[in-house]
Amino acid sequence: MSGKPADQGFDVGGHTDGHGTRLAGRAALVTGAGSAGGFLGTGAATAILLAAQGATVGILDIDAERAEHTRGRIENDGGRAFALAADITDEMAARDAVDDFAARAGRLDSVVNNAGISGEGALARTTRAGWDRVFALNVTAAMQVSRAAHPHLVRVGGGSVVNISSIAALRGFGSGAYGASKGALQSMSVDLAYSWGRDNVRVNCLVPGHLHTPIGDHGGEEGRQLRRAANLLGVEGTAWDLAWAVLFLASAESRWITGTVIPVDAGTTTATVLGMLPRLADRPGGTDRQDETSCRP
């Protein structure tokens, strides 16, 4: 079995075919892009989609085997990719990995800071060491990779940095260090956009919602039903939904967009809890439906 979710459509792109030429002749580096099997996380899906759109892709992951798995999938699809294994929480290792990819690809046009870990949960049970581990990867590593990439982006006349945050930075989840680190990443994105704008380096931040990915696959089928019910569209998001947003921000189509923090969450963060209660009740296995007017603020 491939491990591919039953509701996934195209092998590349998910709900629509991901092949094209929007990034032809460009090179993109994606952190945390390793994979195992067919159930893809956001980093792997992003790397695969960017390659399918013509980019030479660097797959940067701490796990060499996972990086190689994504590389193999890209090359089997006709794309060009390099697998890079490095611990990007180490500043020299991050810089060397970025320089190595830029040299092998011949250029660097886009960076996607996707790598991240979730941590120990609520703040009350988060250890100082656990807090530091989360910030080291989710924030500091993204800074180190971006800073190492900056001269390469300038060399080609400008480029794009896309940072991947989370709605845990915008809404309470009891996620402790994770939500705090993703909030810091959003703030850093805006500041880098200011600092690097005159270099024609655009920096934007995407805020994914409750996606059906390996890191977000909790609660079995009931969890999937909840994720569908908790957003305005009633549709479950996958790693491909985030990857398509990254593709837009990495392409020339978004040349006048920088310093933005964009939710990719099917409207989850636009609704109040009271407003969503009737829809949660409507899901299979939910409680009896309530009159929506009784839940309006």
Side-chain angles (χ1 to χ4, degrees), residues 5-7 212 217-229 236:
D7 59 349
H212 185 222
D217 188 22
H218 306 295
E221 184 55 35
E222 183 178 0
R224 297 187 69 180
Q225 291 170 2
L226 277 170
R227 284 192 288 276
R228 295 184 189 104
E236 184 178 51

Side-chain angles (χ1 to χ4, degrees), residues 26-30 33-34 47 51 55-61 64 66-72 74-75 79-85 97 100-107:
R26 296 174 179 256
L29 179 66
V30 186
T56 297
V57 176
I59 303 145
L60 180 50
D61 201 282
R66 289 175 60 85
E68 184 61 30
H69 184 273
T70 303
R71 185 202 64 78
I74 287 172
E75 294 201 345
R80 182 173 184 241
F82 298 102
L84 305 149
D100 180 32
F101 173 66
R104 293 165 75 180
R107 60 187 296 137

Side-chain angles (χ1 to χ4, degrees), residues 63 73 138 159 164 210 228 249:
D63 187 319
R73 179 161 175 166
N138 294 7
I164 308 302
H210 304 296
R228 295 184 189 104
L249 291 175

